[in-house]
Amino acid sequence: MKYTVIGISDSPTPFFPPEVTNMLRSGRIFSGGRRHHDIVRHLLPEDAVWIDITVPLSAVFDQYRQADGDIIVFASGDPLFFGFANTLKKTFPEAEITVHPTFNSLQLLAHRLVMPYHDMHIVSLTGRDWPAFDEALITGTQKIGVLTDKTHTPAAIAQRMLDYGYTDYKMYVGEHLGNPLEEQVSTLSLEEAARLTFVLPNCLILIGHHPRRYGIPDEEFSLLNGREKMITKMPIRLLTLQRLDLSEKRVFWDIGFCTGSVSIEARLQFPHLHIEAFEIREEGKVLMETNTRRFGAPGISIHIGDFLETGLSMLPRPDAVFIGGHGGHLTEIMRKVTEVLTDNGCIVMNSVTSAIVERATHRISSKDLFEQACKELDLRAETPLRIKLND
């Protein structure tokens, strides 16, 4: 089977080079979205067979497999730029695929703005969630091109940025790019964009900068009932992240997050991480939401309730875990963690000399409790690091 994938813009009168025009005249089986069909139908032979590209794609691919000839597919822009040709390559790795691209939508928008785009970081939110976009913001990317969809609209993107304090950006939105009758290009503040409705298809470019912090002073966090001791102090917090070796990890769990300080610091320093944060206190949800917005740390998943009663089967397995609070159930928590911890994953816990847990017959420090749990669960305990602050 041979697939020829032709990129088109939103123009109702597309221009094709002679090679492509000849293919259209001699082709018989065509495919694309309904919008693509509306654009090219007058160029197709009278006996043309058209296969709509709709979800689920598995049904579309079944029709491709049953086709008795080569297929010409229409796609938006450059079919290899977050496009349908990539999907074809994954689904039909042995197929012969030829691509005839045109400018993608972000290129067209940059052209309209006479904006160089060689330094633009691209994020697709088309059928995807926020992580890649959040990472671009947190790392301080100054020029971000964004592919949108019905959910991740320019207004929704602008509001997310405002919610998390990424206010120093200008938004450029292109609608119906390539269509001379409906094309619209707008230059907006985030406040303006958040109030508007935009016509699909659209895309946008963000220009701006947000300073990236390293180490947040403790007093800037909202605290649990104003209790200064209920936070992992900044020097210890940063050392904790080092011990977790998060630059090499993918999924981080923060158990007993309280103010969210460790999760937030991890998010800002290692924005590639997927972070799941657990806290037994109901107040923790408001604290985490308040602090993540204050420090620009979107994308942390929050779980409120007893960790020992929390279902974990639907969560991504962690390769790094920090236990910030255990309520005297450290061994039970660590046992539950080890059931899902990836190979070569690590668990880190901090203990202060005054951290004493009351047992039935004696008092035991959290440090000793941690070491006992490691022995009981057959975990290799690294040599503990001891430091003294403000002496």
Side-chain angles (χ1 to χ4, degrees):
M1 178 72 74
K2 178 179 179 180
Y3 297 92
T4 301
V5 189
I6 301 172
I8 61 174
S9 72
D10 206 43
S11 172
T13 56
F15 169 79
F16 297 116
E19 177 187 1
V20 173
T21 300
N22 291 335
M23 278 192 289
L24 299 185
R25 290 173 180 162
S26 60
R28 192 176 66 84
I29 305 173
F30 300 87
S31 184
R34 289 170 185 169
R35 181 170 60 88
H36 301 138
H37 192 203
D38 291 340
I39 292 172
V40 303
R41 69 167 72 207
H42 67 284
L43 301 174
L44 306 183
E46 291 185 2
D47 62 344
V49 175
W50 183 269
I51 299 174
D52 269 329
I53 298 178
T54 57
V55 293
L57 288 179
S58 57
V60 178
F61 297 145
D62 285 342
Q63 294 182 69
Y64 286 2
R65 293 184 182 96
Q66 296 167 15
D68 59 354
D70 296 337
I71 301 175
I72 297 174
V73 181
F74 294 95
S76 297
D78 181 348
L80 288 171
F81 181 78
F82 297 98
F84 194 69
N86 298 320
T87 306
L88 283 178
K89 284 174 60 67
K90 292 177 183 177
T91 308
F92 304 101
E94 304 302 321
E96 179 183 349
I97 299 175
T98 304
V99 176
H100 296 268
T102 189
F103 290 119
N104 65 62
S105 59
L106 287 171
Q107 287 176 311
L108 288 176
L109 180 54
H111 294 163
R112 302 297 186 266
L113 298 166
V114 195
M115 177 187 292
Y117 58 86
H118 60 275
D119 56 345
M120 183 162 57
H121 178 82
I122 309 299
V123 173
S124 176
L125 289 175
T126 305
R128 296 169 170 86
D129 213 341
W130 295 107
F133 179 74
D134 292 343
E135 183 175 350
L137 288 181
I138 293 170
T139 54
T141 307
Q142 297 184 29
K143 185 183 294 183
I144 310 173
V146 185
L147 301 175
T148 62
D149 64 14
K150 294 179 180 179
T151 301
H152 303 91
T153 64
I157 292 167
Q159 189 60 59
R160 186 174 183 84
M161 295 176 71
L162 292 170
D163 287 345
Y164 287 94
Y166 291 88
T167 56
D168 295 329
Y169 279 83
K170 184 72 71 175
M171 180 180 285
Y172 303 87
V173 181
E175 303 166 82
H176 275 301
L177 293 169
N179 187 322
L181 300 178
E182 300 184 46
E183 179 176 295
Q184 180 73 37
V185 175
S186 306
T187 301
L188 304 160
S189 69
L190 296 181
E191 290 81 3
E192 290 170 330
R195 296 193 297 265
L196 297 176
T197 300
F198 299 87
V199 178
L200 286 169
N202 60 61
C203 65
L204 61 91
I205 296 173
L206 293 162
I207 302 289
H209 178 64
H210 185 83
R212 189 176 180 186
R213 306 185 68 174
Y214 181 77
I216 304 170
D218 303 334
E219 60 271 16
E220 294 187 22
F221 283 90
S222 288
L223 303 175
L224 179 66
N225 300 323
R227 296 159 65 183
E228 296 180 359
K229 292 185 178 181
M230 296 296 288
I231 185 173
T232 302
K233 302 300 182 183
M234 182 176 66
I236 305 300
R237 192 187 317 141
L238 298 178
L239 182 58
T240 297
L241 300 187
Q242 185 274 329
R243 298 292 281 181
L244 286 162
D245 194 22
L246 293 178
S247 63
E248 301 297 322
K249 302 298 192 297
R250 302 305 304 173
V251 179
F252 170 52
W253 285 11
D254 181 4
I255 301 174
F257 65 74
C258 192
T259 63
S261 64
V262 173
S263 286
I264 290 168
E265 204 80 70
R267 186 72 173 131
L268 296 181
Q269 303 312 319
F270 306 95
H272 70 280
L273 284 175
H274 179 108
I275 301 179
E276 303 284 345
F278 304 83
E279 173 57 49
I280 195 169
R281 304 176 185 88
E282 288 287 342
E283 304 95 314
K285 185 175 189 295
V286 174
L287 278 177
M288 178 69 90
E289 290 175 347
T290 299
N291 287 323
T292 53
R293 281 163 171 75
R294 179 174 298 168
F295 303 116
I300 297 173
S301 298
I302 304 170
H303 306 271
I304 300 298
D306 189 339
F307 178 78
L308 293 174
E309 298 177 2
T310 301
L312 307 178
S313 60
M314 300 301 292
L315 300 180
R317 296 176 60 194
D319 48 11
V321 177
F322 173 65
I323 301 178
H326 55 83
H329 300 285
L330 183 57
T331 301
E332 296 93 322
I333 289 173
M334 290 177 63
R335 179 178 291 109
K336 186 167 183 174
V337 167
T338 58
E339 292 173 356
V340 294
L341 191 68
T342 61
D343 295 341
N344 299 318
C346 69
I347 302 171
V348 170
M349 192 195 78
N350 298 326
S351 173
V352 296
T353 55
S354 59
I356 302 296
V357 178
E358 296 285 349
R359 308 295 282 183
T361 58
H362 63 287
R363 291 155 58 88
I364 183 172
S365 71
S366 292
K367 170 184 172 294
D368 291 339
L369 196 60
F370 181 81
E371 292 176 345
Q372 287 183 15
C374 287
K375 291 179 180 179
E376 183 175 330
L377 300 172
D378 195 26
L379 301 175
R380 187 182 76 252
E382 300 287 347
T383 302
L385 182 63
R386 296 179 175 87
I387 67 172
K388 183 181 291 187
L389 295 176
N390 301 328
D391 185 32

